[in-house]
Amino acid sequence: MSDRVFAAIDGSQYSESICDYAVWAAQALDAPLSFIHTLDNHSQVAEPDLTGNLGLGTREHLLEKLSDIEEQRAKVAREQGGYMLDAAKARAMAAGIADPLCLQRNGTLVETLVENEKEMRLLVLGKRGETAHQASGHLGSNLERVVRELHRPLLMVPKQFTQPKNVMMAFDGSKTARKGIEMLAKSPLFEGAACHVVIVGAETAENRSQLEWAIDLLESAGHHAAGAIRAGEVEETLRAYKQEHGIDLLVMGAYGHSRIRHLLVGSTTTTMLRNAHLPVLILR
């Protein structure tokens, strides 16, 4: 049963924000909350080349030392993960979550999330994890793999929490995007938020019809709704609209049929997501 909000935390600068967005989502959805921390146990110390004139005893001694180092590192990593989970649980309980679940698992993040996918209603994840280069313009590779592998909504969050009040849906008329509008209309997550629908393309009768359908559906659900059709490059156009209207959450479908699809599943992560300073909800 996919009913839980999962929050993937690590030692990155995003962990507090992940916790806060997960609490907000769990409370809005009236859903239980789970924090998850993974321990990737692949060896981080390469075995040195000991094939020179060293004696066998010396080689075995060094290998034993390396094994001891790995064991100590794994122990420290487990303890650090436990402290992170405890801190996240305390933060969530202070915000009103009754009994968040804490999970620590061995393996890669993607494998662990896929294993828990059946229980997942929403996954909250930071833009970069602790192993990603902070100065890099690229998203963490974990996020790209999670988008490809999981079939649940994913909320990618920035470093600071802001409760969303103005939500923008990048709309292309695709099946996924129409489902996204339907989700916006009925989801408790967006109760009280203004919903904006933006089509990047030409002012055609088809696009106008799609936009009117989306706005009518949102308004019939009680939302204040607005929208626009704008020509131009997808990233630049959406960014400009975001700045003009104070958008604080972007909603996108991961597998639309238009250029928007390539923001998420193209061969190179694009400027829109790399430079995002607001949360992005990716629908599947």
Side-chain angles (χ1 to χ4, degrees):
M1 180 68 179
S2 56
D3 63 349
R4 304 188 72 90
V5 172
F6 275 75
I9 62 170
D10 58 16
S12 74
Q13 299 175 26
Y14 294 81
S15 290
E16 288 188 355
S17 175
I18 291 168
C19 181
D20 293 343
Y21 274 105
V23 167
W24 163 75
Q27 291 175 331
L29 296 170
D30 193 22
L33 173 59
S34 293
F35 292 107
I36 192 162
H37 176 258
T38 58
L39 296 165
D40 192 342
N41 291 329
H42 74 276
S43 177
Q44 297 184 22
V45 178
E47 182 178 329
D49 182 2
L50 303 176
T51 58
N53 295 322
L54 294 175
L56 180 59
T58 304
R59 174 187 171 92
E60 289 179 343
H61 176 69
L62 290 174
L63 289 177
E64 287 175 5
K65 295 288 285 185
L66 287 173
S67 178
D68 290 342
I69 291 171
E70 283 299 304
E71 190 173 320
Q72 287 298 314
R73 286 189 175 185
K75 181 179 179 181
V76 170
R78 283 194 302 272
E79 291 178 351
Q80 287 180 329
Y83 292 142
M84 291 177 210
L85 289 169
D86 289 344
K89 182 174 183 176
R91 190 179 182 94
M93 292 180 71
I97 299 293
D99 190 22
L101 183 65
C102 292
L103 305 171
Q104 189 174 63
R105 297 290 184 265
N106 292 316
T108 68
L109 176 63
V110 177
E111 290 170 349
T112 303
L113 293 175
V114 169
E115 288 172 3
N116 289 274
E117 185 174 9
K118 289 182 180 179
E119 299 179 32
M120 195 179 295
R121 183 171 179 180
L122 173 70
L123 172 64
V124 183
L125 193 68
K127 181 180 174 184
R128 296 188 184 94
E130 65 181 324
T131 58
H133 195 287
Q134 293 301 312
S136 171
H138 294 284
L139 293 170
S141 58
N142 270 334
L143 178 59
E144 294 188 42
R145 289 197 294 268
V146 169
V147 171
R148 293 174 185 271
E149 296 293 332
L150 255 64
H151 298 84
R152 295 288 186 267
L154 165 66
L155 180 61
M156 181 197 79
V157 303
K159 294 178 184 177
Q160 298 295 326
F161 171 75
T162 302
Q163 183 165 334
K165 297 293 185 183
N166 289 289
V167 177
M168 178 174 71
M169 174 78 185
F171 189 60
D172 62 6
S174 68
K175 183 178 179 181
T176 300
R178 290 176 72 91
K179 285 184 177 179
I181 294 295
E182 292 168 353
M183 189 212 75
L184 279 179
K186 67 183 181 182
S187 176
L189 202 59
F190 304 107
E191 186 175 347
C195 297
H196 298 253
V197 183
V198 181
I199 295 177
V200 181
E203 177 73 53
T204 64
E206 172 64 19
N207 279 343
R208 178 56 55 183
S209 174
Q210 292 277 12
L211 182 63
E212 290 174 355
W213 170 84
I215 291 176
D216 287 347
L217 186 67
L218 290 165
E219 288 181 339
S220 68
H223 292 282
H224 171 71
I229 301 170
R230 294 191 176 184
E233 291 297 320
V234 174
E235 303 96 317
E236 294 175 3
T237 304
L238 294 177
R239 191 181 305 114
Y241 190 96
K242 172 182 75 73
Q243 293 170 347
E244 290 168 19
H245 296 274
I247 300 299
D248 45 31
L249 188 144
L250 174 63
V251 182
M252 305 184 75
Y255 288 103
H257 57 69
S258 76
R259 290 172 293 170
I260 290 176
R261 174 182 184 275
H262 298 288
L263 289 176
L264 298 164
V265 294
S267 59
T268 304
T269 309
T270 59
T271 306
M272 182 74 193
L273 286 178
R274 288 201 304 266
N275 294 339
H277 297 292
L278 73 168
V280 181
L281 179 62
I282 302 168
L283 303 178
R284 300 300 304 270

